[in-house]
């Protein structure tokens, strides 16, 4: 039970907290990718990292480490790039969605880092990300704790 808590639950929970905070900010500033998108992407990336770490440990313990089994994370990094591209919109001379694409990608990388149990890096990065986006909003005179209308929709439904 203790192995489960340390190796699976803790990485997933930590990733959930940071990605929820980032998604909350994105949702409250009216972006289409909010809590759900950020949490789902980062939790899946974390789960893949946990799985890959456990595969390596099991293969190493069996005396048959397989480097090919360690390539899963590289595919996640690429795949998240395509997902992030989906939230970027270009019209005339305006480009929207770059920050949201970056936060989705960053939350996925945070999930991978924490899932691989690089705790110091993951916790430090998570704190910096959350502080950065909230302080940035506040310094611009924007309250990220209050929901604003969705940028592409007049309704109050902010997360798809």
């Amino acid at each position: 039970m203790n192995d489960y808590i340390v190796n699976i639950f803790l990485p997933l929970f930590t990733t959930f907290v940071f990605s929820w905070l980032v998604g909350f900010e994105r949702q409250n500033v009216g972006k289409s990718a909010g809590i759900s998108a950020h949490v789902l992407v980062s939790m899946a990336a974390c789960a893949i990292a946990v799985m890959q770490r456990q595969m390596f440990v099991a293969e190493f313990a069996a005396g048959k480490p397989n480097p090919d089994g360690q390539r899963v994370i590289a595919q996640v990094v690429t795949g998240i790039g395509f997902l992030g591209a989906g939230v970027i919109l270009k019209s005339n001379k305006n480009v929207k969605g770059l920050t949201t694409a970056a936060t989705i990608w960053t939350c996925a990388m945070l999930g991978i880092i924490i899932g691989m149990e690089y705790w110091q890096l993951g916790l430090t990065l998570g704190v910096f990300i959350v502080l950065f986006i909230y302080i940035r909003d506040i310094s611009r005179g924007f309250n990220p704790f209050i929901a604003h209308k969705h940028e592409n929709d007049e309704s109050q439904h902010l997360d798809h």
Side-chain angles (χ1 to χ4, degrees):
M1 183 62 154
N2 207 15
D3 284 347
Y4 165 78
I5 291 171
V6 171
N7 295 325
I8 297 173
F9 179 79
L10 222 70
L12 286 169
F13 180 76
T14 306
T15 299
F16 172 83
V17 169
F18 283 124
S19 61
W20 189 93
L21 288 167
V22 173
F24 177 77
E25 183 272 344
R26 294 281 80 201
Q27 183 168 299
N28 277 353
V29 298
K31 304 302 178 181
S32 60
I35 294 171
S36 296
H38 284 80
V39 167
L40 291 171
V41 166
S42 65
M43 295 288 285
C46 182
I48 290 292
V50 168
M51 179 197 73
Q52 188 159 324
R53 180 174 35 83
Q54 289 183 337
M55 284 172 47
F56 178 77
V57 169
E59 290 167 356
F60 192 79
K64 298 179 182 181
N66 180 5
D68 289 338
Q70 297 301 303
R71 296 183 182 173
V72 178
I73 287 177
Q75 304 309 314
V76 171
V77 173
T78 304
I80 298 306
F82 284 104
L83 181 63
V87 300
I88 298 173
L89 302 171
K90 183 178 182 253
S91 62
N92 296 332
K93 296 180 182 180
N94 295 327
V95 177
K96 292 183 177 185
L98 289 176
T99 301
T100 301
T103 58
I104 288 173
W105 191 85
T106 303
C107 281
M109 297 313 104
L110 180 65
I112 290 171
I113 292 165
I114 292 172
M116 293 299 289
E117 292 187 354
Y118 289 101
W119 288 107
Q120 288 178 326
L121 176 60
L123 293 173
T124 304
L125 178 62
V127 168
F128 277 132
I129 293 166
V130 170
L131 286 176
F132 170 73
I133 62 171
Y134 282 87
I135 289 171
R136 183 205 57 202
D137 288 346
I138 292 167
S139 70
R140 291 178 173 174
F142 196 82
N143 187 343
F145 301 102
I146 297 173
H148 298 273
K149 287 191 181 225
H150 186 280
E151 65 184 15
N152 297 323
D153 188 3
E154 293 298 318
S155 73
Q156 289 295 325
H157 184 69
L158 300 176
D159 199 16
H160 300 212

